[in-house]
């Protein structure tokens, strides 16, 4: 298999799966190193393929144009992170990303794509497993999220409850 054939097959797999696939899984499937997959993904992105890296692996960014999107500014402790994210998914919201403004590097964005409680549990479980700190730790809890919802009503419910809990700035 040539490198171009492998890249075409990577795209087919990402489209077919409709979920994130870890680079290590792709490396095993294609019998190459993970670094080869990283290079392939970079080449595919440069060619205009809308591939994003999430905590669960690579996926096609299924830009859901019919969803309502909003960027919210929030502040909370690390212990309150799971509660904040649960509120969003409870109303069918998707946590697209987390953004912090770093004094040296400027905007730092992490793609999350947390769509449901299962995604949230995997995300928080991985946090605990690797003993990581959230990006908001760099800014004393202040951060932004791009969230999407299937209706204005659900977006308002999300914002209202986040505000009631004191998360929204």
């Amino acid at each position: 298999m040539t490198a171009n054939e492998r890249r075409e097959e990577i795209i087919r797999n990402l489209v077919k799966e409709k979920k994130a696939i870890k680079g290590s899984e792709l490396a095993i499937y294609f019998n190459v190193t993970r670094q080869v997959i990283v290079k392939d993904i970079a080449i595919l992105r440069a060619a205009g393929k809308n591939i994003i890296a999430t905590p669960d692996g690579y996926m096609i960014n299924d830009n859901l144009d019919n969803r309502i999107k909003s960027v919210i500014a929030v502040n909370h402790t690390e212990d309150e992170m799971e509660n904040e994210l649960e509120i969003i998914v409870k109303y069918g919201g998707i946590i697209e990303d987390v953004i912090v403004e770093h004094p040296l590097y400027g905007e730092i964005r992490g793609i999350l794509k947390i769509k449901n409680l299962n995604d949230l549990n995997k995300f928080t479980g991985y946090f605990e497993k690797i003993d990581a700190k959230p990006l908001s730790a760099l800014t004393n809890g202040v951060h932004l999220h791009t969230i999407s919802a299937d209706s204005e009503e659900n977006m308002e419910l999300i914002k209202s409850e986040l505000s009631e809990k004191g998360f929204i700035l």
Side-chain angles (χ1 to χ4, degrees):
M1 172 179 288
T2 69
N4 285 336
E5 290 170 336
R6 183 179 59 248
R7 291 179 196 123
E8 288 173 18
E9 185 67 20
I10 288 171
I11 292 294
R12 279 193 288 277
N13 284 338
L14 293 174
V15 168
K16 181 181 79 173
E17 288 298 318
K18 297 201 183 283
K19 65 177 179 95
I21 304 173
K22 293 206 176 286
S24 57
E25 292 173 20
L26 290 168
I28 291 167
Y29 179 82
F30 291 107
N31 197 30
V32 296
T33 66
R34 186 179 169 286
Q35 195 56 39
V36 168
I37 297 300
V38 170
K39 180 180 174 185
D40 285 343
I41 296 295
I43 290 169
L44 289 166
R45 283 177 172 160
K49 301 298 181 190
N50 199 1
I51 300 171
I52 58 173
T54 72
D56 289 330
Y58 297 110
M59 65 186 293
I60 297 290
N61 188 9
D62 53 358
N63 209 355
L64 304 172
D65 292 329
N66 59 340
R67 293 182 66 86
I68 309 300
K69 289 200 176 191
S70 185
V71 176
I72 57 171
V74 291
N75 184 16
H76 56 75
T77 66
E78 187 176 335
D79 292 339
E80 296 170 314
M81 178 180 71
E82 189 170 356
N83 187 15
E84 172 215 18
L85 301 177
E86 279 177 354
I87 291 168
I88 297 168
V89 298
K90 175 169 71 172
Y91 295 105
I94 297 175
I95 302 108
E96 304 283 347
D97 59 24
V98 59
I99 307 162
V100 296
E101 186 68 32
H102 191 275
L104 178 62
Y105 299 114
E107 183 179 282
I108 301 173
R109 178 184 307 251
I111 304 297
L112 299 178
K113 292 289 187 184
I114 298 173
K115 300 176 183 170
N116 53 46
L117 279 177
N118 183 47
D119 289 349
L120 177 55
N121 290 335
K122 287 194 302 188
F123 178 75
T124 56
Y126 191 60
F127 243 87
E128 292 168 9
K129 179 180 175 184
I130 65 170
D131 195 30
K133 296 287 182 201
L135 279 179
S136 60
L138 296 172
T139 55
N140 295 320
V142 176
H143 58 288
L144 305 172
H145 284 296
T146 305
I147 59 174
S148 65
D150 58 358
S151 69
E152 287 285 352
E153 177 185 12
N154 284 335
M155 183 63 74
E156 287 309 312
L157 289 168
I158 291 167
K159 289 179 178 179
S160 175
E161 188 166 342
L162 288 171
S163 184
E164 286 172 17
K165 301 284 185 185
F167 293 143
I168 290 192
L169 291 174

